[in-house]
Amino acid sequence: MNAYLDISTEVLEALQAGKPVVALESTIISHGMPYPQNVETALNVERIIRENGAVPATIAIIKGRLKAGLTPDEIEYLGKKGYDVAKASRRDLPVLIARGDDGATTVATTMIIAAMAGIRVFATGGIGGVHRGAEVTMDISADLEELAMTPVLVVCAGAKSILDLGLTLEYLETKGVPVIGYQTEELPAFYTRKSGFNVDYRLDTPEEIAAAFRAKLGMDLKGGMLVTNPIPEAYSMDPEVISKAIDDAVAEANRKGIRGKQTTPFLLAKIKDITGGDSLASNIQLVYNNARLAAQIAKGL
Ligand code: PSU
Ligand code: MN
């Protein structure tokens, strides 16, 4: 086993017994939601995965160790520390580990650690992608490169239109990452079920999704697969309200010259402020919805 990695007993036993395991990220806890809703959500997500017959493996970096499977105390610790935990993408790992620091794992880093541990399915809210204006800024999330190279299936609710969704799909196409719509032809846009863009394939059952990913793994094609699961109708937001909030947030980020790894957390926090907590409630529900689907896919694998 990897000398930098600690797998919790529960996760290790599940993996050894061939039981389904679902990875979960920690940037969503530290940077994606305020305390204490972040901790409450993270613990609920773990419960939902268990209720659906799989074992949750929340992933983070704690005191210089890569962790697959956290204790509730460790989740509380990361949630309380919030923005004081370093947001850790692929490029951040070497220095954080060498220094013995903590790190909240993004989609990219969660995929890396999941793959090291032998976990194949991962549930989250939204992924990073090609930002609006990337033709000038070159701001493209490392999440997309990771999807291109690391064999983990990621269940998300699509991507927020803080990103350029059209360019994000083009990038994924170039990199050979299949974009699957669960029971939909249309790419969901996180807070809303529609985006105006089509996914590559619509698949209607967790078993069909598992079969496609099994084929990808079996052929040893490198990289993962992106499963987009629309937010439940009851929690989806008014497209005009959310689109105005996002436009305002992006404009403010540009005005303030926000760059690099700060961009996504800044935009997420702004949107939350502007929509006054409505977006947080939707965000929480779509994560639960993704956890359910991911557990079912993991069982099918
Ligand atoms: N998008 C969201 N919610 C999130 C993130 C993105 O709607 O919580 C987080 C995820 O951890 C994702 C990361 O992997 O931000 C992407 O950051 P960047 O754009 O800097 O690569
Ligand atoms: Mn970026």
Side-chain angles (χ1 to χ4, degrees), residues 24 55 105 111 177 215 224 232:
L24 300 160
V55 169
T105 54
M111 289 177 74
V177 179

Side-chain angles (χ1 to χ4, degrees), residues 54-111:
V55 169
T58 303
I59 289 180
I61 301 158
I62 300 202
K63 299 189 173 42
R65 300 290 303 168
L66 309 177
K67 298 275 182 193
L70 298 186
T71 63
D73 283 348
E74 288 170 327
I75 289 175
E76 170 78 21
Y77 168 76
L78 291 174
K80 225 174 198 162
K81 222 176 148 188
Y83 277 65
D84 292 335
V85 186
K87 174 182 160 200
S89 196
R90 173 177 274 268
R91 63 101 188 258
D92 302 292
L93 285 178
V95 174
L96 288 178
I97 296 302
R99 282 184 177 162
D101 283 349
D102 298 327
T105 54
T106 61
V107 168
T109 324
T110 305
M111 289 177 74

Side-chain angles (χ1 to χ4, degrees), residues 87 129 131 139-142 260-261 263-264:
K87 174 182 160 200
H131 278 264
D139 187 352
I140 300 172
S141 174
K261 71 193 285 187
T263 302
T264 296

Side-chain angles (χ1 to χ4, degrees), residues 86-206:
K87 174 182 160 200
S89 196
R90 173 177 274 268
R91 63 101 188 258
D92 302 292
L93 285 178
V95 174
L96 288 178
I97 296 302
R99 282 184 177 162
D101 283 349
D102 298 327
T105 54
T106 61
V107 168
T109 324
T110 305
M111 289 177 74
I112 294 171
I113 299 171
M116 280 179 187
I119 302 168
R120 294 287 175 224
V121 178
F122 163 22
T124 188
I127 59 157
V130 181
H131 278 264
R132 296 194 197 171
E135 61 276 23
V136 175
T137 63
M138 290 185 70
D139 187 352
I140 300 172
S141 174
D143 291 353
L144 300 185
E145 292 296 324
E146 212 58 57
L147 281 162
M149 66 180 137
T150 302
V152 173
L153 179 149
V154 179
V155 180
C156 69
K160 294 196 175 96
S161 54
I162 58 172
L163 303 173
D164 186 318
L165 299 184
L167 292 187
T168 300
L169 288 173
E170 292 292 348
Y171 199 92
L172 289 168
E173 179 182 5
T174 301
K175 294 287 179 174
V177 179
V179 180
I180 308 298
Y182 179 59
Q183 299 180 345
T184 180
E185 263 110 51
E186 201 168 322
L187 177 75
F190 199 89
Y191 297 116
T192 57
R193 294 172 61 87
K194 296 199 172 302
S195 66
F197 294 96
N198 285 337
V199 294
D200 302 332
Y201 295 95
R202 169 184 174 149
L203 297 178
D204 288 338
T205 64

Side-chain angles (χ1 to χ4, degrees), residues 233-254:
E233 194 83 61
Y235 301 104
S236 72
M237 294 184 69
D238 180 342
E240 276 179 31
V241 170
I242 196 68
S243 136
K244 168 91 171 58
I246 289 174
D247 288 347
D248 291 352
V250 171
E252 186 169 340
N254 288 339

